[in-house]
Structures are given as C-alpha cells and as structure tokens.
Amino acid sequence: MPLDADLVVTRRFVIPPGELSERFSRSSGPGGQGVNTTDSRVELSFDVARSPSVPEDLRSRLLARLASRLTDGVLTIAASEQRAQLANREAARLRLVAVLRDAAAPPPPKRRPTKPTRGSKERRIAEKKRRGEVKRGRRGRFDD
C-alpha cells in the first residue's frame, strides 16, 4: 500500500492522505544500537469527528463504537512492531483501515427468539429421567 494513496475503508468511505497526521518517536524493543537513533515508532491520527470524508450517516456510528479509543474525536493508532519506519507506517495504515471498517459495519440483524419444539422438550425430559435412573442405580443398598 503506497503511503501517498487514499485509504479505502468502504466504497463510500475513502480517506485522502492529507487528513492523516503522523508522529514519529523512538521505539522500544529489538533493533540494537540503532533503536537509540532511529525514530521508527509511528503514531497515525485521524480526526473522525471533524473529517469531511466520513459520510454523515456513518459518523455517529463510528463515534459511538470508537468512543473508548477517541481523544477529542481523534483516533490514534501506534505501530512499533517493525524495525523500519516505513514498515511501521504501512502497518499503522492497515490497522487504521481495519479498525474503521469494523466500526463502520452495519449492526447484525436482530435475533428472532424461537421456542423449543415439542420433540426437543420430550427428548430433554426423557434424558433427564434416564440420568436419574442411572444415579438411582448407583445408590448403596443397605439390605445386604
């Protein structure tokens, strides 16, 4: 995924690269002495609340579902798994798209409650009686 390309979340929701902001910092973890000099950790931020590219009907759903992850309406994704800054930038973009796609998904259809069939009720009662008989057969008899 090229870094200057639009991020396609859904068919109607595409983020232009100008709406993303990146911050770089030193990453912990593997990298040896290079870790002390390379700003390979990436924080990718996207303003969900004020972005013109978010469709209005999706905005409320995104804000509600991402409420615990937002700071003043801004979603921030940090990536520091890779040693290379470029790889972390791509990983952050992929993760941002995945998070937004999950949050933008329509809610699942409402469950229609069903009742157990008469046959399943009868089978359940018959199995309970059979288990009771097995347990009754295990009781010790004191008439010996």
Side-chain angles (χ1 to χ4, degrees):
M1 168 187 295
L3 297 177
D4 59 345
D6 291 348
L7 291 181
V8 179
V9 179
T10 64
R11 281 187 312 218
R12 297 183 319 131
F13 183 13
V14 179
I15 304 171
E19 291 189 27
L20 301 173
S21 65
E22 291 177 314
R23 278 185 42 213
F24 305 103
S25 60
R26 298 213 173 117
S27 177
S28 63
Q33 294 172 341
V35 115
N36 301 326
T37 59
T38 310
D39 288 340
S40 60
R41 181 174 187 269
V42 177
E43 283 186 17
L44 183 65
S45 298
F46 174 64
D47 193 344
V48 178
R50 289 172 282 286
S51 169
S53 61
V54 178
E56 282 306 316
D57 56 318
L58 274 184
R59 190 181 312 274
S60 58
R61 185 185 304 164
L62 289 173
L63 291 173
R65 289 189 177 169
L66 297 172
S68 62
R69 297 189 67 163
L70 296 177
T71 306
D72 295 330
V74 177
L75 175 64
T76 302
I77 303 285
S80 60
E81 298 81 34
Q82 308 295 324
R83 287 178 60 172
Q85 185 188 86
L86 193 63
N88 282 330
R89 290 176 74 186
E90 288 181 9
R93 279 172 164 65
L94 290 173
R95 208 173 311 146
L96 176 73
V97 167
V99 167
L100 290 173
R101 191 172 288 147
D102 287 347
K110 196 142 176 73
R111 179 187 172 273
R112 290 187 15 226
T114 58
K115 291 183 178 168
T117 62
R118 195 168 100 206
S120 67
K121 288 181 189 174
E122 289 171 359
R123 285 190 298 274
R124 183 179 67 85
I125 299 298
E127 179 58 28
K128 285 170 71 81
K129 287 191 185 307
R130 194 166 30 256
R131 289 294 303 157
E133 289 297 324
V134 167
K135 291 182 178 186
R136 201 170 301 118
R138 291 183 190 152
R139 288 189 191 151
R141 292 185 182 82
F142 298 108
D143 52 29
D144 290 340

